[in-house]
Amino acid sequence: FEPLPVVECQEQDETCSTTEPTFGQALGDRATWLVGLLVLQSASGFILAYNEELLQTHPVIIYFLTMLVGAGGNAGNQASVRVIRGLALGTI
């Protein structure tokens, strides 16, 4: 989860400003998760290759592969959330 922007208010002025994360910070946050997912999906590919004979003899196991494929959708989901958040905050 990404922390909300920091809100700084001055009591005399009653004006508040939000501090958005920099591009580098946002990239670092996203890259950490995406690299982690890439490693996990690579590991799952190696596991599937190792157990190919088992999958051929027991095809019901293939139904559980949808959970693995769903992890790939996280990359697109993160990008969508970032754009929607930017639109809501007026930064895009």
Side-chain angles (χ1 to χ4, degrees):
F1 292 100
E2 183 176 317
L4 294 174
V6 177
V7 177
E8 299 173 5
C9 294
Q10 298 176 0
E11 291 181 23
Q12 311 103 337
D13 203 345
E14 289 191 30
T15 58
C16 297
S17 64
T18 60
T19 306
E20 281 290 313
T22 64
F23 177 76
Q25 290 170 335
L27 181 65
D29 290 343
R30 299 287 185 264
T32 302
W33 284 104
L34 293 176
V35 168
L37 286 172
L38 177 68
V39 168
L40 289 174
Q41 286 187 336
S42 296
S44 69
F46 292 130
I47 292 168
L48 287 174
Y50 180 76
N51 293 302
E52 186 173 356
E53 184 179 330
L54 176 69
L55 291 172
Q56 289 177 354
T57 57
H58 300 10
V60 73
I61 297 173
I62 295 172
Y63 295 120
F64 295 101
L65 295 179
T66 56
M67 291 185 290
L68 296 174
V69 174
N74 285 332
N77 187 22
Q78 286 183 17
S80 299
V81 167
R82 186 73 178 158
V83 169
I84 292 169
R85 183 172 183 265
L87 290 171
L89 293 175
T91 57
I92 293 179

